[in-house]
Each structure stands twice: as C-alpha cells, then as structure tokens.
Amino acid sequence: MDGSLGARTAGRAGAQAVRTTCPYCGVGCGVRATPDGRGGAAIEGDTAHPANHGRLCSKGTALGETLGLTDRLLHPEVGGRRASWDAALDAVAEGFSRALARLGPEGVALYVSGQLLTEDYYAANKFAKGVLGTANIDSNSRLCMASAVAAHRRAFGEDVVPGTYEDLEQADLLVLVGSNLAWCHPVLFQRVMAAKAARPGMRIVVIDPRRTATCEGADLHLPIAPGGDVALFAALLATLEARGLGDAAFLAQHAEGVTETLAAARATAAGAPALTGLPAADIDRFCAMWAEAPRVVTLWSQGVNQSSAGTDKAGAIINAHLYTGRIGRPGMGPFSVTGQPNAMGGRETGALANMLAGHLDWDRPGEHAALAAFWGMPRLAPKPGLKALDLFRVLGEGGIGALWVMATNPAVSLPEGDAVRDALARAPFLVVSEVTRRSDTASFAHVRLPALGWGEKDGTVTNSERVMSRQRAFLRRPGEAKPDWWAVAQVAKRLGHGQAFAWSNPAAIFREHAAVTGLARPAPRAFDISGLARISDADYAAMPPTRWPVPAEGEPDARFFAAGGFPAGRARLVPTPFRAPRAQPDKDFPLRLLTGRLRDQWHMMTRTGSVPRLMAHAPEPVLTLHPDDLTELQADSLVRAETPAGAAVMRLARDAGQRRGTAFAPMHWTAQFAPAARINAALIAATDPVSGQPELKHTPLRVTPYAAAWHGFLLAPHRCQPDIAEWCAAAPLDGGAWRHELAGQEAPADAFARLRALLPAEDWALLEDPVAGVFRAASLAGGTLTGFVAVAPAAELPPRAWLAALMAAGLLAPADRAALLV
C-alpha cells in the first residue's frame, strides 16, 4: 500500500456501522463508526453502550477528523532509513540480545501506555517478564493511576474499584476530589448533571484549588490548598468518629487498623484549617454534608494521584468509606476514575513494574511459580522492577542498554523532561513503536516501528467501572503498520520463544489472559475473567461490553465489598499523617505550579492537535494566575514560568477562579507544537514513596516577563517547523493552513525577512515601517490569499481569524484585498 487515504478504504460508502470504543479517557464510551469509503468514517455515540448511552464529548465527536494519514509513520525505519519488517525486527532482537549479554535482565526495559489494547499490554508484559526476565516494564499509567492502585492494594489487598457509574447517579452526595470531571471525563459529568436534575436532593461537592467548569454544577466548592487533601479527610474521619457513625459490625467483621487510623486522624484534624487553607466553617459544612448523606460516593482523579502523598490521599478517602461501611452498595463507595482508555487493562495484565499478570503477586505464596509454569518460562522476573522515573534515571546513568517505548511520549510527559530527553539521546539502543513521525520521543529512536492507530487495531479495553469493551477495526491498515502485539511476538520468536507467542489473532491472546486470572486458586482474588478463557473467535468478535468479574463458576458481582469479601481477608484502614510536599514555595519561587488537561485536548495532541475546531478552544499554551497575583504582569503578554527544575514560556491569562498563590498550565504542548512551552520539563521529579507516582501539582514557581524584541504570527498554507522563532505555538486552521504565533529577540526586520521567505507568492501586499518596527506581508497567488506574516515590537497585531477565513474562502474580493494591511 502507498499509505494514501484511498489505500486504506475499509469499504464502500454506506457500509455498516462498526461498534467500537473511544480511545480517549477512562470513561470508555461506546462509538459507532461508519466507514465512508474514502478512508474516513462518520462517528456517533453508541446508545447501547452502558458507559455513555449515546453521549460523546467534544473530542469523541471529532474522532472522524483524526483519521487522516498526515505525519503517519507507515514503514519500519532503522537508523533513520526505511527498512523491511524483517530487518527492523532483527535489529530489535539483536539490540536486546546485546544488552542482555552486557547488563543482564536488569539492563533492559519497556515503557508502555494506557493507549495500548489489553492484548498488546499482555504481550508486552509477557515478553518483558517472561522472555527478558525483567520486571523493568512500566506504563505511563505510573503518571496517572499508580497512587490509586497502591491505595487499593493497601486497603483491600487488590487493585479493585468497588463501584459502578450508576453509583454516581444514585448517590445523595457526590464528592469530586482533584477532578475536573466536566473537562476530563465529560460524559460522566453529563450523566451526573442529568441525575442531579432528576433528583433535586442530590448534592455535589468539588474539592479543587481551582474553580473549574465542574464547579458550575456544584453545591459547594472547597478551594483547597495544594497538598491539603489528607488533612481535610482526616478532619472528616474525626468528625465521623465524634458523631458515632462508625459501622461497628462491619469494622469488627471485616476491617483492621481502625484504632491507630482514628488516632492519626484526630491528631491531624486540629490543624486542618491551616493545612488546607480553608475556613473552619467550610470544613465543618463539608464534614456535616458527608456525615448526614446516607449514600456517598467520593470520586477522585489526578489532583489526588499526581502527588508525592498520592497514596495517602487516596487512602484517607478510602478510610472514611470503610469506617462508615459506605462501600459496595448502590450509591456509595470510593471511586477512582482512570485517565486513559485502557489504564485499567494495563493493571489487569500486570504491565507495571510492581505487578504480575492477572493481579498475581510476588508476595503471595505460589503465584509467581504458577505464572512461570503456565507460561513455561522459568526465567520469569523474580522481583519488581524499576518504576518510570527510576527507569529513565537509570537509563541516563547508562544502566539500561535497550529500551522499547510503545504508544507514549516520555520525552514530553515525564517531569524534569530535559533530563529525560538527555537520557533518551544517550540510550545505547532505543526502539519506539508509534503512529506518528512527529513524536518527540521517536526522534531519538534507533528503530521506529509503525503501529496501528484507532480505527485500525482490534482488541479490548477496560474502563473505570471494570467494563471490558471491544475496540474493533473499521479501517484497513495503512502502509506497513502492524499491531503492537504482533511486533512483540515476532521479536520473542527471534529470541527463541516463538511457541509461547504463537497467537493467530487478538482473541487467542485474550483467552490466554483470561486463563491467567484463574491461576493460583483458591487464593481469593477479585479480578477473575477465567469464565472467558474458552471464548470462541466468533464470540470474541461479537463480545458486548462486559464488566468483570466473569468467574468460571458462580455469579459475578457488580459491586465489591458491601459484605466484606476482601482479597486480603480483612480491609485495612491505614493511618495517613499529613506530610507536606517535598518542595515548598520560598522567596525565590513564591508560587505553586499546577498542571492538568484542557477540555478539547488529549495527552500530547497527536490526534487532537490536528483538528482545527479542537485547537480553536485553546490555540496556544497559557499560564493562568489569579488577578491579584503579580499584578505588574499584563494579561496576554508572554511570561517565563521558571522552577528549580526548568522553565517554559507561555501566554499569561487571568482567572478569579484560580486560587491565589498558584498558577495553572496545561500539560499538552510538545516540541512539535510549542517547543518553549513544554511545562513538564519544569516539574520537579518528586515521587510518592509508595506508588512511585510523580508530583505534578505542586512545584515552586516564579513568573517573570519574557523579554521579546518582536511579536508576530505567520499564517501559512502548510505546517512550518516549530523552530522558526525562539517562541512558537502552531495550530491547524480550516482548509489545511496553519497558524504560528511567534516571538523572538532578534531585530524585527530580520525576523520579518526570514518569515516572509517561508511563504509562496506570485505577488505581495506589503507594509514596512522600519522605524516603528512594524512589518506585514500578504502573499497572493491566482487572486487568493496564500499566507500572511505580521511582525511588531508589541503583541498588538492584526486579527488572525479574519485573515484565516480569507485564506480558506479562495478568491479575494477587491474590498478584502484593499483591507489586508489596514
């Protein structure tokens, strides 16, 4: 195939709709995709899917606009040159063999992603832990879900989300902690708002330093100080004890650690106002609402997990539910909502450095041996491996000789990103499996493998409520792209393990994965889909959304733990004394930096960054401050956001909903879109001591003006390299053109000349005022506007939207041509 859109036509126009699953957040919405016969598809929500009942968010509705092949990696590459699959796979096998010979199993690693399907995850984990004999396989879920996983395992004995989405709708009180549900899990927010409208007595509390869009549906917003969550929930637990709301029978039969946990809560509760930054009256009101609501769900997300105390924050939430027995029944329980479409699938397959497949564990007798025997791999990794931040630190120190990165972009997403980029640059052997050529991480790779994208691959994902759904292919594979599991299996074959990876299709992998979940019984384990271990290919192809467990015998449970049944025998309440974040603001760095998502963007913008209407919501990276902080800085000016770890340059915004003393920056911009605005490069690499999850919500910060000699923009009929100016933010426009917001420190005339040379033109309309430093040029061809460049000493520049509309419209009217330079 030549990789053109026509070459991947999945069928004629009018083809049948294919039921699949959205590839964005952990809600796991069902999608109906109808191929259009030209390589695209019409997208609509699946009314039959239990997660969304037909609803889709802005990103989901735009999925059909992400299916083009621009910038796709379509062929294997070795050393930057196109290669055959055989040559590329041979190179991967040889690279890992050399590293194993030189450094042993501790010197090889994989870094994978919640974007992988469960079958890909399973293959990668089996390859790392079984073939290579190393547990140095970690997932980018370490950046979003690791603290929730650790808290679940510590409290329940296993990583289990006890409830379902229906509980959010049935709760009398829904508490959202560190979750901008309206933007990050929009369909869940829509479900909650519909339930609240139908049940006027339902109440919602939002606990977040920022007043986000989610607060518009809340009865109470608590603008907590970053890092104050443990203290707030300690105050709650102390209140519950004082009111006599402990479920004595439940605790006596099913829990331990109650006495010491209550003592720790009482000790912290007295200082809660100072530690949370909240008035005592607001804390009392929250505690009273929680205590008096018969059914409570406490939902948390990255504002809890992405913390150096994330496990304790999640544990403090779980403690309140265990103490009152408000768990596992309709409308009540602690609920961790995942950030990625298959973060849960990665946890199920053991694709984290501290887990084995199928929720098996090194610490439980017989489980490691059972898995080694089932796989026929006596070299199965004997102990946990390196978690993400440690893995890249060791890579930088020369301790990792071969690394395979799949479906993720650590050069952008990890904290202290410049050190990560340096480690990748010095890696002896780096393999990257990707869909795009425009990946910061892929630029460092020795071998690049073309992977399948959404709409092309086939397998399963598991959402936040434990529902396994099928992602089904509805487009042909472009170029020479292949499934990730297939590439893993081919390398395993070259390393002498072909028989153990001789899967003919994803269904075969799923059957093996399901069988693993039935190993080492009768040890209690909640995750059990062994009832699907004999599923036929036809039934797998037609598999409806299915919530686990699916045991081989007995009835499955929709919810867990209402009547005990904890995998550890008894639940454990864990003391969570308050620990301040490691790095605190001081006179040099007086603010605190928070990072997070935008409504219309996803991760590193590989998909969403190509869609003009999604980029229009926030076309350039912005740092948001409260109006009363640093009043000498002007809104819409460029500022330098600097931390002890690094710096980024962003546009300044003001928002009264931002807590004073804090700043917010979106996580999404990469070197492909805005090289100087990679905010994660400025985040410190502090981690939770239990989960290994990095602190992404609490970095000391100072903000200063960015001294630019000129500001400008370039509208071009094509995407320009992002290094065309010292500061650049690129965004697509309708009609295929691109907008580039620019600034720099050279002379304005020099910048103008350089930028003008990037535009094609038969004719020019020019305005040049060297004395004022103001320059504008409209490139014209065939009576149309083909581009525009503006440069000035200040940021007051012509309106971009009007010019972009003229470019998209075609022929210029005489009046429009006359007004171009006004």
Side-chain angles (χ1 to χ4, degrees):
M1 295 184 184
D2 63 7
S4 68
L5 280 174
R8 71 196 209 120
T9 297
R12 300 185 304 276
Q16 292 291 314
V18 175
R19 281 194 161 95
T20 185
T21 309
C22 179
Y24 290 124
C25 75
V27 175
C29 294
V31 171
R32 287 168 53 90
T34 305
D36 63 10
R38 300 183 300 277
I43 301 296
E44 60 183 342
D46 185 352
T47 57
H49 197 285
N52 59 317
H53 303 293
R55 298 180 179 95
L56 290 177
C57 71
S58 60
K59 294 186 290 292
T61 58
L63 275 167
E65 299 164 56
T66 70
L67 301 176
L69 297 181
T70 302
D71 297 326
R72 278 295 296 268
L73 179 64
L74 294 172
H75 309 282
E77 295 178 357
V78 178
R81 296 184 177 182
R82 181 172 173 175
S84 68
W85 265 106
D86 278 340
L89 294 167
D90 287 346
V92 175
E94 290 166 8
F96 275 88
S97 293
R98 287 194 303 270
L100 284 168
R102 184 168 67 89
L103 298 168
E106 299 303 310
V108 293
L110 278 73
Y111 188 63
V112 294
S113 164
Q115 304 296 297
L116 294 176
L117 302 184
T118 297
E119 293 74 9
D120 300 319
Y121 253 138
Y122 182 87
N125 186 53
K126 184 177 182 180
F127 174 76
K129 294 191 173 97
V131 174
L132 302 178
T134 183
N136 291 343
I137 173 171
D138 214 31
S139 168
N140 62 8
S141 295
R142 183 68 59 191
L143 308 185
C144 63
M145 296 311 304
S147 291
V149 172
H152 291 155
R153 296 177 77 188
R154 196 167 67 174
F156 308 144
E158 189 176 342
D159 175 24
V160 181
V161 175
T164 72
Y165 292 160
E166 291 178 352
D167 294 324
L168 310 183
E169 300 165 316
Q170 296 168 349
D172 299 307
L173 175 66
L174 174 62
V175 182
L176 303 174
V177 192
S179 168
N180 185 6
L181 203 69
W183 278 17
C184 300
H185 301 90
V187 168
L188 277 189
F189 185 72
Q190 294 168 24
R191 288 183 60 167
V192 167
M193 288 297 98
K196 193 172 191 292
R199 296 173 51 231
M202 182 181 180
R203 296 289 178 262
I204 297 176
V205 175
V206 174
I207 302 169
D208 195 308
R210 304 165 57 224
R211 184 171 182 84
T212 65
T214 302
C215 297
E216 300 310 309
D219 299 281
L220 175 64
H221 170 221
L222 297 178
I224 194 167
D229 308 79
V230 165
L232 179 62
F233 280 88
L236 172 62
L237 190 57
T239 298
L240 296 172
E241 181 191 21
R243 289 190 174 212
L245 292 177
D247 187 331
F250 181 86
L251 295 171
Q253 286 184 276
H254 304 302
E256 61 184 28
V258 178
T259 300
E260 51 266 47
T261 299
L262 290 174
R266 289 193 298 270
T268 300
L275 296 174
T276 62
L278 298 171
D282 287 352
I283 296 174
D284 292 344
R285 181 183 174 194
F286 164 67
C287 293
M289 291 175 71
W290 209 103
E292 294 164 9
R295 298 178 297 181
V296 182
V297 171
T298 308
L299 179 149
W300 78 91
S301 190
Q302 308 314 334
V304 168
N305 295 331
Q306 290 177 335
S307 167
S308 56
T311 304
D312 280 351
K313 290 180 179 180
I317 292 169
I318 294 170
N319 285 342
H321 282 274
L322 289 174
Y323 181 68
T324 55
R326 297 181 189 180
I327 188 169
R329 288 178 282 163
M332 60 182 75
F335 203 117
S336 161
V337 63
T338 57
Q340 297 188 81
N342 204 27
M344 186 75 79
R347 292 146 68 174
E348 294 163 359
T349 59
L352 287 166
N354 56 320
M355 301 176 72
L356 290 173
H359 285 199
L360 296 170
D361 199 286
W362 279 279
D363 295 333
R364 288 196 291 263
E367 295 193 359
H368 177 274
L371 182 61
F374 181 81
W375 280 352
M377 293 178 171
R379 294 180 64 247
L380 180 67
K383 61 180 181 179
L386 294 169
K387 297 169 184 173
L389 268 65
D390 288 334
L391 190 159
F392 284 92
R393 175 183 54 78
V394 173
L395 177 70
E397 295 169 351
I400 300 292
L403 171 65
W404 192 345
V405 176
M406 298 180 188
T408 187
N409 199 0
V412 180
S413 58
L414 288 171
E416 298 189 6
D418 290 339
V420 173
R421 296 167 80 88
D422 182 62
L424 291 166
R426 293 191 286 116
F429 186 68
L430 175 64
V431 185
V432 174
S433 296
E434 254 295 359
V435 296
T436 178
R437 302 186 64 81
R438 287 185 180 269
S439 159
D440 290 22
T441 301
S443 67
F444 296 104
H446 301 96
V447 177
R448 300 183 185 94
L449 302 179
L452 298 179
W454 182 77
E456 302 155 3
K457 57 187 180 180
D458 190 63
T460 57
V461 294
T462 307
N463 73 359
S464 296
E465 62 167 352
R466 296 178 278 109
V467 169
M468 301 173 291
S469 297
R470 292 277 280 109
Q471 269 197 21
R472 296 180 174 92
F474 54 88
L475 296 172
R476 290 182 182 172
R477 300 173 180 178
E480 297 179 17
K482 298 281 190 182
D484 290 297
W485 67 261
W486 179 88
V488 169
Q490 293 299 309
V491 176
K493 178 180 178 180
R494 284 163 169 77
L495 295 178
H497 293 270
Q499 197 60 35
F501 288 76
W503 304 302
S504 58
N505 55 30
I509 306 174
F510 183 85
R511 284 190 288 268
E512 184 176 320
H513 164 54
V516 167
T517 71
L519 293 180
R521 303 296 184 179
R525 195 158 70 250
F527 176 49
D528 184 357
I529 57 170
S530 59
L532 298 172
R534 296 183 181 277
I535 191 172
S536 68
D537 285 5
D539 286 343
Y540 175 83
M543 189 173 83
T546 304
R547 178 181 289 109
W548 62 259
V550 187
E553 298 179 1
E555 292 297 319
D557 299 312
R559 300 175 180 86
F560 284 102
F561 311 144
F566 295 97
R570 298 172 72 88
R572 183 182 173 202
L573 281 75
V574 180
T576 55
F578 178 82
R579 289 185 294 109
R582 188 182 79 186
Q584 291 291 330
D586 56 26
K587 62 181 180 62
D588 294 321
F589 298 96
L591 303 174
R592 287 185 278 195
L593 175 62
L594 318 176
T595 64
R597 300 181 187 274
L598 294 176
R599 185 192 69 192
D600 291 354
Q601 291 302 332
W602 175 251
H603 277 202
M604 305 295 101
M605 301 162 64
T606 301
R607 277 188 293 259
T608 53
S610 67
V611 181
R613 66 185 173 107
L614 295 181
M615 285 294 284
H617 176 238
E620 58 183 345
V622 168
L623 182 81
T624 302
L625 293 175
H626 188 277
D628 295 336
D629 281 334
L630 302 180
T631 55
E632 68 276 14
L633 298 176
Q634 293 185 350
D636 297 325
S637 66
L638 289 177
V639 294
R640 178 178 173 85
E642 186 176 4
T643 76
V649 177
M650 313 180 85
R651 188 79 63 189
L652 179 63
R654 297 288 187 177
D655 184 353
Q658 186 76 29
R659 182 183 173 88
R660 287 208 63 183
T662 70
F664 176 79
M667 57 173 273
H668 307 288
W669 270 266
T670 72
Q672 309 303 315
F673 287 90
R678 294 182 297 108
I679 196 64
N680 282 2
L683 300 178
I684 59 172
T687 58
D688 180 284
V690 180
S691 68
Q693 182 155 356
E695 171 76 81
L696 303 182
K697 308 294 187 187
H698 195 292
T699 296
L701 172 74
R702 65 174 168 234
V703 182
T704 57
Y706 174 71
W710 63 273
H711 300 261
F713 67 84
L714 172 70
L715 304 183
H718 55 271
R719 185 177 186 176
C720 297
Q721 290 297 320
D723 61 358
I724 58 173
E726 290 164 322
W727 188 84
C728 173
L733 300 170
D734 290 330
W738 279 76
R739 164 183 168 180
H740 308 79
E741 293 295 322
L742 307 167
Q745 296 176 333
E746 63 191 307
D750 293 340
F752 174 71
R754 186 168 47 77
L755 295 171
R756 180 184 165 189
L758 299 174
L759 294 177
E762 296 173 358
D763 189 17
W764 291 96
L766 296 173
L767 183 158
E768 298 181 89
D769 185 344
V771 175
V774 174
F775 301 87
R776 297 177 190 174
S779 64
L780 305 166
T784 66
L785 179 66
T786 58
F788 195 95
V789 58
V791 170
E796 291 79 20
L797 296 162
R800 287 70 150 171
W802 177 67
L803 292 165
L806 291 180
M807 287 180 65
L811 289 176
L812 281 173
D816 290 332
R817 175 164 180 156
L820 282 175
L821 303 178
V822 175

PDB file of all heavy atoms in Angstrom, residues 18 161 163 255 441 461 556 588 684 693 801 809:
ATOM      1  N   VAL A  18     -19.713   0.118  12.609  1.00  0.00           N
ATOM      2  CA  VAL A  18     -18.923  -0.790  13.439  1.00  0.00           C
ATOM      3  C   VAL A  18     -18.957  -0.266  14.863  1.00  0.00           C
ATOM      4  O   VAL A  18     -18.662   0.909  15.116  1.00  0.00           O
ATOM      5  CB  VAL A  18     -17.467  -0.871  12.930  1.00  0.00           C
ATOM      6  CG1 VAL A  18     -16.613  -1.712  13.873  1.00  0.00           C
ATOM      7  CG2 VAL A  18     -17.441  -1.447  11.515  1.00  0.00           C
ATOM      8  N   VAL A 161     -11.624  -1.275  41.879  1.00  0.00           N
ATOM      9  CA  VAL A 161     -12.588  -0.179  42.003  1.00  0.00           C
ATOM     10  C   VAL A 161     -13.916  -0.811  42.394  1.00  0.00           C
ATOM     11  O   VAL A 161     -14.499  -1.555  41.611  1.00  0.00           O
ATOM     12  CB  VAL A 161     -12.714   0.601  40.681  1.00  0.00           C
ATOM     13  CG1 VAL A 161     -13.807   1.665  40.796  1.00  0.00           C
ATOM     14  CG2 VAL A 161     -11.383   1.235  40.311  1.00  0.00           C
ATOM     15  N   GLY A 163     -17.090   0.157  42.814  1.00  0.00           N
ATOM     16  CA  GLY A 163     -18.419   0.543  42.355  1.00  0.00           C
ATOM     17  C   GLY A 163     -18.580   0.617  40.857  1.00  0.00           C
ATOM     18  O   GLY A 163     -17.749   0.148  40.076  1.00  0.00           O
ATOM     19  N   ALA A 255     -12.578  -5.443  59.074  1.00  0.00           N
ATOM     20  CA  ALA A 255     -11.537  -4.418  58.972  1.00  0.00           C
ATOM     21  C   ALA A 255     -10.522  -4.520  60.097  1.00  0.00           C
ATOM     22  O   ALA A 255     -10.788  -5.111  61.148  1.00  0.00           O
ATOM     23  CB  ALA A 255     -12.172  -3.024  58.963  1.00  0.00           C
ATOM     24  N   THR A 441       9.733  11.731  21.339  1.00  0.00           N
ATOM     25  CA  THR A 441      10.498  10.537  21.720  1.00  0.00           C
ATOM     26  C   THR A 441      11.006   9.788  20.500  1.00  0.00           C
ATOM     27  O   THR A 441      12.160   9.327  20.469  1.00  0.00           O
ATOM     28  CB  THR A 441       9.633   9.615  22.590  1.00  0.00           C
ATOM     29  OG1 THR A 441       9.222  10.328  23.762  1.00  0.00           O
ATOM     30  CG2 THR A 441      10.398   8.375  23.007  1.00  0.00           C
ATOM     31  N   VAL A 461     -10.445  -3.009  25.701  1.00  0.00           N
ATOM     32  CA  VAL A 461     -10.018  -2.051  26.708  1.00  0.00           C
ATOM     33  C   VAL A 461     -10.948  -2.188  27.903  1.00  0.00           C
ATOM     34  O   VAL A 461     -12.079  -2.666  27.777  1.00  0.00           O
ATOM     35  CB  VAL A 461     -10.063  -0.593  26.180  1.00  0.00           C
ATOM     36  CG1 VAL A 461      -9.051  -0.386  25.077  1.00  0.00           C
ATOM     37  CG2 VAL A 461     -11.464  -0.231  25.693  1.00  0.00           C
ATOM     38  N   PRO A 556     -21.331 -13.401  39.011  1.00  0.00           N
ATOM     39  CA  PRO A 556     -20.455 -12.221  39.123  1.00  0.00           C
ATOM     40  C   PRO A 556     -21.102 -11.139  39.980  1.00  0.00           C
ATOM     41  O   PRO A 556     -22.319 -11.104  40.157  1.00  0.00           O
ATOM     42  CB  PRO A 556     -20.304 -11.759  37.679  1.00  0.00           C
ATOM     43  CG  PRO A 556     -21.549 -12.238  36.993  1.00  0.00           C
ATOM     44  CD  PRO A 556     -21.910 -13.535  37.661  1.00  0.00           C
ATOM     45  N   ASP A 588      12.393  32.910  46.439  1.00  0.00           N
ATOM     46  CA  ASP A 588      12.832  32.854  45.049  1.00  0.00           C
ATOM     47  C   ASP A 588      11.768  32.273  44.124  1.00  0.00           C
ATOM     48  O   ASP A 588      11.681  32.646  42.953  1.00  0.00           O
ATOM     49  CB  ASP A 588      14.114  32.016  44.934  1.00  0.00           C
ATOM     50  CG  ASP A 588      15.287  32.663  45.632  1.00  0.00           C
ATOM     51  OD1 ASP A 588      15.402  33.908  45.549  1.00  0.00           O
ATOM     52  OD2 ASP A 588      16.064  31.948  46.275  1.00  0.00           O
ATOM     53  N   ILE A 684       9.401  19.260  39.042  1.00  0.00           N
ATOM     54  CA  ILE A 684      10.395  18.514  39.802  1.00  0.00           C
ATOM     55  C   ILE A 684      10.016  17.041  39.851  1.00  0.00           C
ATOM     56  O   ILE A 684       8.837  16.684  39.802  1.00  0.00           O
ATOM     57  CB  ILE A 684      10.544  19.076  41.236  1.00  0.00           C
ATOM     58  CG1 ILE A 684       9.207  19.010  41.991  1.00  0.00           C
ATOM     59  CG2 ILE A 684      11.092  20.483  41.208  1.00  0.00           C
ATOM     60  CD1 ILE A 684       9.316  19.370  43.452  1.00  0.00           C
ATOM     61  N   GLN A 693       4.519   7.446  41.968  1.00  0.00           N
ATOM     62  CA  GLN A 693       3.892   8.416  41.072  1.00  0.00           C
ATOM     63  C   GLN A 693       4.479   9.799  41.323  1.00  0.00           C
ATOM     64  O   GLN A 693       4.638  10.228  42.457  1.00  0.00           O
ATOM     65  CB  GLN A 693       2.382   8.446  41.283  1.00  0.00           C
ATOM     66  CG  GLN A 693       1.666   9.400  40.347  1.00  0.00           C
ATOM     67  CD  GLN A 693       0.228   9.034  40.121  1.00  0.00           C
ATOM     68  OE1 GLN A 693      -0.263   8.025  40.601  1.00  0.00           O
ATOM     69  NE2 GLN A 693      -0.485   9.846  39.366  1.00  0.00           N
ATOM     70  N   ALA A 801      -8.328  35.580  12.813  1.00  0.00           N
ATOM     71  CA  ALA A 801      -9.495  34.821  12.359  1.00  0.00           C
ATOM     72  C   ALA A 801      -9.978  35.311  10.991  1.00  0.00           C
ATOM     73  O   ALA A 801     -10.321  34.501  10.112  1.00  0.00           O
ATOM     74  CB  ALA A 801     -10.610  34.914  13.391  1.00  0.00           C
ATOM     75  N   ALA A 809     -11.405  30.861   2.096  1.00  0.00           N
ATOM     76  CA  ALA A 809     -12.517  31.172   1.201  1.00  0.00           C
ATOM     77  C   ALA A 809     -12.142  31.113  -0.273  1.00  0.00           C
ATOM     78  O   ALA A 809     -13.004  30.926  -1.124  1.00  0.00           O
ATOM     79  CB  ALA A 809     -13.075  32.558   1.530  1.00  0.00           C
TER      80      ALA A 809
END
